[in-house]
Amino acid sequence: MSPASRRLAASGETAHPVPTADEMIAEALLTAAADPLHNPHSDRPAPVPDARPLPTPDQETWASAKEANRQPRQVWSAPDRAADRPFQERPEPLSSDAVLTAALRRGLPIDEAVTTSVRAARTLDTAQWRSLCHSLMAHPETRRAGVAGAALIAQRVGLRELAWDLLRQLGPDDAARLAPAEYLRAGIAMADPGVTRTAATWVRHGFVPDAAVLLELAKLLFIADEPESAAEALDAARHDTGLTEEVRASIDHLAPWIDKALRPAAPAHVPTGHVSFAVIDYKAPDENVSSSNIGDTVQTIASLGHLLRHEGLRLHGDDAVTEPVRFLAGRVRPEHVVPGPGADVNLTLVQRDMSRLDAVPENTWMLAFGWYMHSQFDLRFDFPFHKNLLPLFVSFHVNKHAILTPTAVDYLRAHGPIGCRDWTTVHLLLNAGVPAFFSGCLTTTIDTVFPADFASPPTGAPAVYVDTPVPEHDTRGELVTHLHPSVRRHSLGQNLHTAVELLDAYRSRFARVVTSRLHAFLPSWAIGANVDFRPRNDADIRFSGLLDADEADRRAMQHRIRAVVAPAMAKILAGASRDEVYATWAATVADEVERARAVHSAPVPAPSGSCDVSDVVAGVRATRVLVGAAEPRTGPAAARGVLNIAVALDGNLRAQMEVVVAGVVRHTDRPVRVVALTRDHGPADHERLAGLFPEVTFEWYACDGIDYGAVLGMLKHITVATMDRLLLPELLPHLDRVLYHDLDALSVVDLADLYDTDLGGAPLAARPSISYNYRHGIGNVIRSTRLLGHQPGAARDLVRAMTQRHRYGYQGFNAGILLLDLAVMRADGFTHEYVPYAERYGLNDQDVLNAYAGSRYRVLDSRWNAWPTQEIVAEPGLIHWAGPVKPWHDDRYILLKEHWTAAETWLSTRR
């Protein structure tokens, strides 16, 4: 019995039974068969645990479903307001060995067993699987299996180039058998011109027989603008004998989109003198992107209020659009009406995330609001909008680097200034050279279409909890979720009426609304409900400027949005030209843009930490031990100067330091000095290294006891010792240049050429990151803010500081191998200014170095920091085994491990 099971037995509770290994293997394989191409979207919000969705999709109203949504009661609750569930014993994920063994027992050949197993894993231990695949790649008879598995792993972790390099090694025939969808996805991502033709050939000749795989090919061909081939793949999937109901439902979802691409509808005729205006909906070909959140419809309602408040409008168009909009027009509050001569307005439905396929008349105006963050099938953002749309951006949000392409930035500049929902978006856009200002959230103005004369909730009315757990003490509280699959299927009109009914219920049936959702909080507040906002992460950058707004701030937000939109809307309704409308918009918001620029450029307070950097540096300097070379190198090579190599380690990496020094020494004739920043080292270590390397000068510094505060971004396989390198510029006033060398890296050539690189005034040289998920500097900053929890001020300061310091589009670098100009770094005050970033912002050492030099570093050639786990390595100069699997692990294989073994063998001759 496990300790957890014993604890439960002693307390009288019942532990959830743990399946046997065979049961877990069977379940994993059944899951693989049902969903072989599952691609999780971890960045998208999920419903609250234990919150049941509304029970029936055809339910008339959400208000009547609250009893079915009641939150299960908990035994206890935590003081941080998160509902902690009683202990449940859960099995550990199956190892790669167990999953692969089960697949082989089913009779699959080794290559199919590997790809099936990797694809089936809902969560993937990439270290285990990569090691297994690397081992298979090392043997000719299993190489194909290893290549295919490694390619699938690379694709899942965002290494797009590596995935494509590996998949191309398979060739089209093996790719069709082992990884057809992954091959097509990788080729599209890398813009290979022939990959869609290859996939179309597979479909046409029946090389891919599985319905689920054919469906995936159809999705990818569709998003690659090959609708004819997509239709063929979809038709083949529909006629497959193994078609499941789940796949059939997905086929039915995708088919109309392919049809729209094959047979584009003609835009509706807009009579002369009429204004064409877009109404935003949220359907998309990607089922994971098509919105199931009724809060999106709430935003559309708020946006329509800015049109409908203008007096005398006559609405034209499809009844499915005009009927719900007329319904809202009848709800406009008299005090918000803008007098005017009236206008004829033709309404057109536009899908926010796929407008390019909509039949949009020329010169159709729209209010562009909300976030534009969803890529279709993880490959393509549908931004900029349809060419016939004329957007006015207000309450706009973006924080994904991938959407801010040069084309997108140019588009935003051409249609600016951009009104932003939050200050994070303001800073990102101003950094990109886009005129922007803080408008606040459009849903604060939804009261335009919610009459003021509503019935207050009755005495004793319960509280409603919207996507946040009901606390145990509230026995009458009711739970509602804004996420429901029916939203994807329902028309704009159905969702609009649902949203209105839901908001009306919040203010008239419940004593209090408690929610974690912005688009429940702000509209509820705007219409007079008693609401309590409880975001899951106070530092969420989406809330910058909203979370800290008080009652007066929100009222000012309402007024500001109405005041800036009304003049431009009046021009639109008067039939003004595009240039006139945008000129009016720019003039109206000019003061707001200047205010935003002032906020953006204002100095960010320098962070301070609990440790005094000067005292820390002085203390470490006092521990300096210099062990001169017993057999110093002489000759012509010595005249070229010393190679100063810096390492940082604790007691766990003693053997690795020896191998690293061996790699440097055995390949160069230059004198070598090793600067070692250590923890848990002493005289015995100094003597051992001096004996092994009599030609090397060692300079030892003890960093034991240095506390950098809570380094929230520290990786699991990294220790705090790596932070000590941030002290190098101040610790080494006698040196102007060092090469910092991680201990999971090994030089296999002379490092002299690298060491002598001209930095051209840059503070350091490094290799840019290549992972799609980590290559963008500002994306890494935003990722860091998510760790700050209840420190919204720190999150705001970090974003503003980085967008001030670094140019738009800068690329983050890997800090495992760094050529440092210590003189420049000392002149910049790097150590004193940036060490406190660790405590204030939770940054690890690599993040701190990127914060300092993210857009100022000299780019190193890839051979000087070659990553066998992230790329095909051909002629490395310095191999870096970044990640949790290391070349000294006896129980796991990793590519190019033989170089480490060779260095160990060379070193053994010196012992």
Side-chain angles (χ1 to χ4, degrees):
M1 183 181 290
S2 73
S5 298
R6 287 196 297 271
R7 184 169 65 252
L8 288 169
S11 65
E13 297 178 48
T14 301
H16 288 243
V18 180
T20 66
D22 284 342
E23 288 172 336
M24 291 188 289
I25 290 169
E27 180 181 356
L29 294 173
L30 286 171
T31 300
D35 191 8
L37 292 170
H38 176 73
N39 186 11
H41 296 266
S42 59
D43 61 327
R44 295 185 186 131
V48 172
D50 294 333
R52 294 188 296 276
L54 296 178
T56 56
D58 57 348
Q59 202 158 331
E60 292 184 5
T61 70
W62 287 26
S64 62
K66 296 185 182 71
E67 185 60 32
N69 275 294
R70 186 176 295 279
Q71 174 77 13
R73 298 298 170 217
Q74 306 301 330
V75 176
W76 55 276
S77 59
D80 67 353
R81 304 177 302 201
D84 290 346
R85 289 173 292 186
F87 177 82
Q88 296 178 4
E89 188 169 1
R90 300 180 185 278
E92 289 293 321
L94 290 173
S95 70
S96 57
D97 301 8
V99 175
L100 180 59
T101 299
L104 291 170
R105 283 206 302 265
R106 291 172 57 201
L108 294 178
I110 180 66
D111 50 9
E112 291 184 26
V114 169
T115 53
T116 298
S117 300
V118 172
R119 190 180 295 119
R122 298 278 180 167
T123 59
L124 196 68
D125 185 335
T126 55
Q128 274 195 7
W129 275 104
R130 186 180 285 131
S131 179
L132 188 150
C133 292
H134 282 189
S135 180
L136 294 171
M137 291 169 68
H139 304 282
E141 62 273 19
T142 57
R143 176 172 173 76
R144 182 173 55 211
V147 167
L152 269 60
I153 294 166
Q155 192 167 82
R156 285 184 63 156
V157 300
L159 293 168
R160 294 182 170 185
E161 290 88 349
L162 177 59
W164 185 229
D165 287 342
L166 290 168
L167 287 166
R168 283 188 298 177
Q169 293 183 23
L170 294 177
D173 291 345
D174 281 329
R177 181 173 61 88
L178 297 172
E182 292 87 354
Y183 183 92
L184 177 56
R185 174 179 293 278
I188 294 171
M190 298 309 299
D192 184 277
V195 71
T196 55
R197 291 194 298 273
T198 299
T201 300
W202 293 341
V203 172
R204 197 166 297 121
H205 295 283
F207 293 162
V208 180
D210 183 84
V213 181
L214 287 164
L215 169 63
E216 190 71 8
L217 293 179
K219 294 174 181 178
L220 298 172
L221 289 164
F222 166 80
I223 209 62
D225 292 329
E226 297 288 346
E228 294 87 358
S229 298
E232 285 187 52
L234 207 63
D235 187 61
R238 189 179 281 115
H239 290 92
D240 181 66
T241 56
L243 184 64
T244 65
E245 287 304 314
E246 184 179 2
V247 173
R248 187 188 303 277
S250 293
I251 289 172
D252 292 342
H253 176 88
L254 182 62
W257 293 96
I258 294 177
D259 191 61
K260 284 180 74 171
L262 284 172
R263 288 169 280 277
H269 172 67
V270 178
T272 302
H274 286 213
V275 173
S276 184
F277 196 85
V279 179
I280 306 300
D281 200 12
Y282 306 92
K283 307 297 188 292
D286 186 342
E287 292 172 277
N288 294 310
V289 168
S290 189
S291 178
S292 63
N293 187 349
I294 200 67
D296 286 330
T297 305
V298 168
Q299 295 180 79
T300 292
I301 294 170
S303 74
L304 288 170
H306 291 273
L307 169 70
L308 299 175
R309 63 190 293 237
H310 289 260
E311 194 173 40
L313 299 187
R314 296 169 295 280
L315 304 178
H316 308 274
D318 188 337
D319 287 344
V321 180
T322 57
E323 181 279 324
V325 177
R326 287 195 183 102
F327 163 71
L328 291 180
R331 295 170 58 94
V332 174
R333 289 190 183 186
E335 64 269 27
H336 292 315
V337 170
V338 177
D344 288 286
V345 180
N346 282 58
L347 300 178
T348 297
L349 193 65
V350 169
Q351 304 302 335
R352 178 190 66 181
D353 297 311
M354 189 49 74
S355 65
R356 67 187 174 90
L357 293 183
D358 289 321
V360 181
E362 289 186 7
N363 299 316
T364 296
W365 289 95
M366 69 179 289
L367 285 185
F369 52 86
W371 70 344
Y372 297 83
M373 310 289 289
H374 299 310
S375 65
Q376 303 298 319
F377 307 113
D378 289 325
L379 280 172
R380 179 173 180 175
F381 290 95
D382 191 57
F383 189 86
F385 302 126
H386 190 291
K387 64 180 182 179
N388 290 345
L389 287 171
L390 300 175
L392 287 180
F393 287 91
V394 62
S395 191
F396 176 73
H397 170 79
V398 64
N399 66 51
K400 282 193 175 179
H401 51 78
I403 198 172
L404 290 177
T405 62
T407 299
V409 168
D410 288 344
Y411 182 81
L412 291 169
R413 288 172 183 155
H415 296 86
I418 308 299
C420 303
R421 189 179 75 186
D422 54 276
W423 277 104
T424 301
T425 304
V426 174
H427 298 313
L428 294 179
L429 294 185
L430 289 177
N431 177 249
V434 177
F437 65 96
F438 175 66
S439 66
C441 186
L442 198 67
T443 60
T444 59
T445 65
I446 201 170
D447 59 319
T448 298
V449 293
F450 278 79
D453 54 341
F454 65 93
S456 298
T459 302
V464 62
Y465 295 80
V466 182
D467 289 312
T468 199
V470 179
E472 178 63 25
H473 63 79
D474 190 349
T475 58
R476 299 182 62 244
E478 301 184 21
L479 178 68
V480 166
T481 175
H482 274 198
L483 294 176
H484 194 261
S486 63
V487 175
R488 289 195 180 104
R489 299 190 300 272
H490 285 174
S491 67
L492 169 75
Q494 290 172 297
N495 286 333
L496 188 147
H497 284 287
T498 295
V500 169
E501 291 172 7
L502 197 59
L503 291 176
D504 273 334
Y506 288 163
R507 67 176 180 172
S508 61
R509 292 187 54 197
F510 296 101
R512 187 166 60 114
V513 179
V514 183
T515 184
S516 62
R517 290 198 175 274
L518 184 70
H519 294 136
F521 162 56
L522 288 176
S524 296
W525 166 83
I527 64 176
N530 178 21
V531 61
D532 180 9
F533 187 39
R534 297 181 180 179
R536 295 188 179 98
N537 183 348
D538 293 343
D540 192 326
I541 56 170
R542 296 176 300 159
F543 302 146
S544 180
L546 302 173
L547 186 62
D548 52 343
D550 58 19
E551 181 77 13
D553 293 329
R554 289 192 290 271
R555 293 296 175 199
M557 198 181 301
Q558 281 181 320
H559 174 76
R560 177 168 56 249
I561 295 174
R562 289 192 175 107
V564 300
V565 172
M569 187 66 75
K571 285 285 188 182
I572 291 170
L573 295 174
S577 68
R578 167 186 175 144
D579 290 345
E580 288 180 278
V581 173
Y582 281 114
T584 298
W585 173 252
T588 303
V589 303
D591 290 344
E592 295 294 337
V593 172
E594 289 308 307
R595 174 176 173 266
R597 285 176 172 149
V599 171
H600 175 69
S601 60
V604 178
S608 59
S610 56
C611 73
D612 185 299
V613 175
S614 296
D615 289 347
V616 168
V617 170
V620 175
R621 273 188 192 164
T623 70
R624 179 176 184 257
V625 175
L626 182 64
V627 181
E631 301 173 7
R633 285 176 169 171
T634 58
R640 294 174 56 197
V642 177
L643 303 184
N644 296 308
I645 311 296
V647 296
L649 68 155
D650 59 19
N652 295 309
L653 295 175
R654 287 182 170 90
Q656 288 71 30
M657 177 180 170
E658 295 174 1
V659 177
V660 165
V661 176
V664 176
V665 169
R666 69 188 289 221
H667 291 109
T668 188
D669 294 329
R670 298 264 291 268
V672 176
R673 176 197 300 259
V674 173
V675 176
L677 310 180
T678 66
R679 295 175 182 237
D680 191 28
H681 278 61
D685 299 295
H686 306 167
E687 293 172 9
R688 187 182 72 259
L689 268 295
L692 285 171
F693 303 104
E695 64 271 75
V696 175
T697 295
F698 288 93
E699 196 169 329
W700 298 89
Y701 293 88
C703 299
D704 304 81
I706 301 176
D707 184 1
Y708 296 97
V711 183
L712 302 174
M714 187 64 71
L715 301 177
K716 291 181 180 179
H717 61 279
I718 303 294
T719 68
V720 72
T722 189
M723 299 288 294
D724 297 330
R725 58 175 161 163
L726 303 179
L727 307 177
L728 282 169
E730 300 302 322
L731 283 180
L732 307 177
H734 53 293
L735 298 179
D736 287 342
R737 172 175 293 214
V738 298
L739 177 66
Y740 175 80
H741 194 309
D742 261 358
L743 294 180
D744 58 354
L746 182 71
S747 58
V748 294
V749 300
D750 191 345
L751 294 182
D753 289 344
L754 168 60
Y755 189 85
D756 293 336
T757 298
D758 182 5
L759 293 180
L764 59 87
R767 185 180 175 195
S769 298
I770 61 174
S771 169
Y772 181 77
N773 298 326
Y774 292 95
R775 68 180 60 175
H776 298 274
I778 196 62
N780 294 333
V781 171
I782 289 170
R783 187 178 296 107
S784 296
T785 66
R786 294 173 185 155
L787 302 176
L788 290 171
H790 300 294
Q791 302 178 61
R796 289 195 301 268
D797 285 352
L798 179 60
V799 169
R800 191 155 62 92
M802 294 301 97
T803 53
Q804 284 180 5
R805 181 173 181 84
H806 299 305
R807 67 177 182 273
Y808 159 72
Y810 75 97
Q811 190 167 350
F813 58 81
N814 175 274
I817 302 297
L818 298 173
L819 184 61
L820 303 175
D821 189 325
L822 299 182
V824 171
M825 297 177 76
R826 279 191 293 269
D828 289 342
F830 163 74
T831 299
H832 291 280
E833 182 176 351
Y834 284 90
V835 165
Y837 274 51
E839 183 172 348
R840 171 61 172 162
Y841 304 127
L843 304 186
N844 62 35
D845 49 304
Q846 178 168 285
D847 292 335
V848 170
L849 287 158
N850 271 271
Y852 163 62
S855 58
R856 299 176 57 209
Y857 65 96
R858 169 76 181 268
V859 174
L860 284 180
D861 186 85
S862 62
R863 71 189 299 258
W864 295 122
N865 192 355
W867 303 309
T869 60
Q870 299 183 32
E871 62 187 340
I872 305 271
V873 175
E875 297 181 359
L878 208 159
I879 305 169
H880 182 192
W881 291 274
V885 179
K886 303 303 180 186
W888 57 84
H889 289 162
D890 293 333
D891 61 337
R892 295 184 182 182
Y893 181 79
I894 192 169
L895 287 177
L896 304 185
K897 181 176 183 173
E898 59 273 14
H899 289 279
W900 187 272
T901 302
E904 288 179 320
T905 301
W906 181 88
L907 181 62
S908 67
T909 63
R910 292 196 163 202
R911 296 192 187 278

